Amino acid sequence: MRKTVWVTGASSGLGLHTAMALRDAGWQVIAGARSFASEDAGKRPELAGMQLLPLDVTDPESITAFRKAALSVSGRVDALVQCAGMLVLGSCEETRPEEFLRVMNTNFLGMVRMNQEALPLMRKQRAGRIIMFSSINGLLGIPFQNAYTASKHAIEGYAEGLQMEKVPYGIQVTLIEPGDHRSGSDRYRLHGEGMSDGSPYADAYRQATEKIHHDESHGSDPDRLGRKVARLLDRRRMPFRKRIASPDQHLAVWLHTCLPDRLNQRILRSYYIKNEKKT
Ligand SMILES: NC(=O)c1ccc[n+]([C@@H]2O[C@H](COP(=O)([O-])OP(=O)(O)OC[C@H]3O[C@@H](n4cnc5c(N)ncnc54)[C@H](OP(=O)(O)O)[C@@H]3O)[C@@H](O)[C@H]2O)c1
């Protein structure tokens, strides 16, 4: 019998590539995203062979409807792969509390809500696998990506407790920590409303966000990541953390654990901001 996986954020970027790899590996993929509410979604050739269901991870009613519809397709959920995410770029000083809330609500609480739908089913099955997409930013901060970094750090801490609680029920939890990968959509990379040209951080912000954009658009192959995640789900024991990143990003994480904090922050800052104009 084919195993069933629910994939959130499957309309774009790493969620899409992971869903495609799982389908190609023989999983029954139940794919969720807000844009799957549109009839046009069914015409996208890359989504062929998947069950597409509308899903907004910030909306409890949408999540309940997704669970019911998914269970009518398959009575099991062998795995839940959580990729839905977004970011709002901005300085700590000017990113609005509502913008922090929006990012936390999608990236962190969205995962909490989805887990709460899947866990009772997995507990009854006495088996299940949960993969949550964190990021290198779940391990270290970078300038002007603060709301996103906070949400990914929240996921990292939460996942540790989740895994410890779920051991007796045969449920395995894995954090995927991607470095930069191409194919993420600009639609989910918003600029904070406070980040005008008049911002005292305007010059540093421009430099850092250009670098962030450059690194992502020249990032690693998303298909390769998708296949790695599919292979991981086939293993008898999944690792708790799986970093999928370029050698320099592995190095950045290693230095973060070894170097004194101030030195590490100086190096990271100078990577993103070269010659800041003082205002
Ligand atoms: N790309 C990278 O370099 C990278 C690096 C590290 C970590 N990640 C993580 O990988 C995941 C995918 O990111 P990406 O950049 O590859 O893809 P992306 O192109 O940014 O796609 C984001 C996905 O999330 C969905 N989404 C957004 N808000 C949602 C909501 N409220 N409810 C349901 N779905 C929602 C979008 O679909 P709809 O708009 O159709 O709902 C879309 O499918 C994220 O968790 C991201 O943090 C990515």
Side-chain angles (χ1 to χ4, degrees):
M1 200 178 62
R2 277 206 300 169
K3 288 189 179 169
T4 301
V5 57
W6 298 356
V7 183
T8 75
S11 65
S12 161
L14 298 181
L16 169 63
H17 287 272
T18 301
M20 284 162 39
L22 286 165
R23 173 202 58 201
D24 295 347
W27 287 75
Q28 172 159 53
V29 176
I30 302 188
R34 292 165 303 179
S35 53
F36 292 164
S38 143
E39 281 175 13
D40 289 346
K43 297 180 189 148
R44 291 175 57 185
E46 68 277 27
L47 295 168
M50 299 180 203
Q51 184 73 41
L52 309 183
L53 296 178
L55 171 67
D56 181 344
V57 297
T58 67
D59 175 359
E61 281 181 23
S62 165
I63 291 175
T64 305
F66 173 89
R67 175 180 44 80
K68 287 187 180 153
L71 288 177
S72 71
V73 175
S74 162
R76 292 182 62 80
V77 53
D78 297 289
L80 167 63
V81 178
Q82 302 229 50
C83 307
M86 52 95 58
L87 61 87
V88 177
L89 296 158
S91 68
C92 284
E93 187 178 328
E94 294 154 304
T95 305
R96 299 184 176 155
E98 308 82 74
E99 291 170 328
F100 274 94
L101 271 176
R102 183 172 173 195
V103 176
M104 291 299 285
N105 196 17
T106 305
N107 296 6
F108 175 57
L109 287 172
M111 288 199 183
V112 172
R113 292 187 191 99
M114 287 303 296
N115 284 343
Q116 288 179 350
E117 295 295 324
L119 283 169
L121 304 166
M122 291 180 172
R123 193 165 37 73
K124 283 197 194 110
Q125 292 169 182
R126 295 254 154 198
R129 283 155 182 241
I130 294 180
I131 289 193
M132 289 185 282
F133 271 58
S134 173
S135 164
I136 293 289
N137 285 127
L139 305 166
L140 54 85
I142 61 172
F144 303 113
Q145 204 159 271
N146 309 301
Y148 179 80
T149 297
S151 72
K152 295 296 182 180
H153 274 65
I155 292 164
E156 293 270 336
Y158 160 87
E160 295 204 6
L162 175 64
Q163 178 61 90
M164 286 186 257
E165 290 173 22
K166 290 301 159 194
V167 168
Y169 302 105
I171 296 171
Q172 294 187 41
V173 177
T174 292
L175 286 163
I176 301 290
E177 297 165 338
D180 286 312
H181 282 74
R182 31 185 207 275
S183 95
S185 164
D186 283 344
R187 271 182 301 155
Y188 310 107
R189 283 135 182 85
L190 307 180
H191 291 272
E193 287 184 19
M195 300 314 297
S196 65
D197 288 346
S199 160
Y201 303 95
D203 183 48
Y205 180 69
R206 182 190 49 74
Q207 291 186 45
T209 50
E210 280 175 10
K211 187 79 181 143
I212 289 167
H213 184 264
H214 172 274
D215 286 356
E216 221 182 80
S217 52
H218 293 79
S220 309
D221 176 6
D223 268 330
R224 219 161 140 234
L225 178 143
R227 288 195 299 274
K228 279 189 182 173
V229 175
R231 280 200 299 276
L232 211 64
L233 273 170
D234 253 356
R235 279 166 62 168
R236 202 170 63 82
R237 284 198 71 74
M238 300 197 300
F240 178 67
R241 284 197 167 82
K242 178 70 182 165
R243 200 167 306 141
I244 305 178
S246 61
D248 55 333
Q249 287 179 327
H250 277 284
L251 177 65
V253 175
W254 184 74
L255 290 176
H256 189 259
T257 59
C258 304
L259 293 181
D261 290 330
R262 296 284 181 217
L263 176 58
N264 194 51
Q265 287 160 7
R266 219 168 36 240
I267 295 170
L268 270 179
R269 185 185 154 81
S270 67
Y271 177 79
Y272 286 97
I273 303 156
K274 299 286 178 215
N275 303 302
E276 187 179 357
K277 278 189 223 140
K278 296 272 183 307
T279 54

